[in-house]
Amino acid sequence: MRVIIENLLSVDDLAAVRAIVESGTFVDGRETSTLTDKRNVQLPLDSPAADRAGALILDRLLDNETFQSAALPRQVVPPRFSRYEIGMGYPAHVDSATMGACRTDLAMTVFLSDLDRYDGGDLVVDTGNGERRYRLPAGDAILYPASTLHSVAPVTAGTRLVAVTWVQSLVRDPLGREILTDLALSAARLSATPYGPRLRRSYHNLLRLWAET
């Protein structure tokens, strides 16, 4: 299941994140990958700028109902910041199964550049039934299974800036997460009816059955 989170970052949030990130020193992105064809630049993992900008994004994720419902996060990796300039891209790959003590069930890309500031740079996700391309407005994010092959198409004009992070979910099974997301949305929409409490009961009982705490 792929979930688009609209307006994760406000206009003010975007301005703050961009200013913090651009104050840092970027390094060759191949330092965090074994793929020699990876072409981008990144803030180092121990960069103070990455820590500050990442903390702001993590705060917004904690408050975002769509993210909480879809991801059921147990642990979130501190965001990493990547910049793609003309000719840069990232070939098809699957993310590492673990990052530190975090199992990477889900990956997330937060788009930080306005669409009119670059061309190309689509996030390409192999769904198993064809490829889907995502190029979202600044401040939006997409959440998708980290087990899928994905790539970044070469940037043909301008500069693409993104934050990426990974999530260990309370519910390991993707189908279970999808069922729980549907139940949570249905319960919210029917909260004023007699069906709302019953749907919430089913949601919490299934979460109680499947959650790894």
Side-chain angles (χ1 to χ4, degrees):
M1 182 174 66
R2 297 168 302 283
V3 178
I4 291 176
I5 303 171
E6 297 180 345
N7 302 313
L8 173 66
L9 301 179
S10 68
V11 173
D12 290 342
D13 291 337
L14 278 169
V17 168
R18 289 168 179 164
I20 296 168
V21 168
E22 294 301 340
S23 72
T25 301
F26 284 77
V27 299
D28 192 327
R30 286 174 292 188
E31 291 188 5
T32 58
S33 174
T34 59
L35 296 177
T36 57
D37 291 338
K38 178 185 179 183
R39 300 187 306 280
N40 68 3
V41 291
Q42 298 178 175
L43 287 181
L45 300 182
D46 58 355
S47 164
D51 287 343
R52 290 170 56 207
L56 191 155
I57 290 175
L58 290 176
D59 282 346
R60 298 301 176 265
L61 289 174
L62 286 174
D63 294 334
N64 188 276
E65 185 176 348
T66 301
F67 173 77
Q68 294 294 326
S69 296
L72 294 167
R74 179 180 180 184
Q75 186 175 353
V76 183
V77 174
R80 301 178 181 180
F81 296 87
S82 299
R83 188 171 68 205
Y84 295 78
E85 297 170 350
I86 296 175
M88 291 183 173
Y90 199 160
H93 62 284
V94 172
D95 295 326
S96 298
T98 59
M99 294 186 184
C102 180
R103 185 186 68 235
T104 56
D105 297 319
L106 297 159
M108 188 176 72
T109 297
V110 183
F111 292 80
L112 302 175
S113 295
D114 294 321
L115 291 176
D116 60 0
R117 301 304 298 268
Y118 70 101
D119 293 324
D122 300 51
L123 173 65
V124 184
V125 180
D126 185 349
T127 68
N129 190 30
E131 293 181 342
R132 289 288 304 273
R133 290 176 171 262
Y134 298 93
R135 196 167 170 274
L136 302 181
D140 286 6
I142 180 168
L143 190 68
Y144 57 97
S147 57
T148 57
L149 275 171
H150 57 283
S151 62
V152 177
V155 169
T156 58
T159 300
R160 175 191 191 260
L161 182 66
V162 296
V164 294
T165 188
W166 296 267
V167 181
Q168 179 172 336
S169 178
L170 286 167
V171 177
R172 183 194 298 250
D173 180 60
L175 179 58
R177 289 196 301 271
E178 185 171 356
I179 291 170
L180 287 166
T181 300
D182 287 344
L183 278 173
L185 291 173
S186 298
R189 291 170 183 168
L190 296 173
S191 60
T193 75
Y195 302 105
R198 291 180 176 274
L199 287 169
R200 294 297 297 177
R201 180 186 66 180
S202 295
Y203 171 87
H204 284 289
N205 283 340
L206 285 174
L207 183 58
R208 188 176 290 111
L209 180 67
W210 293 336
E212 300 174 359
T213 60

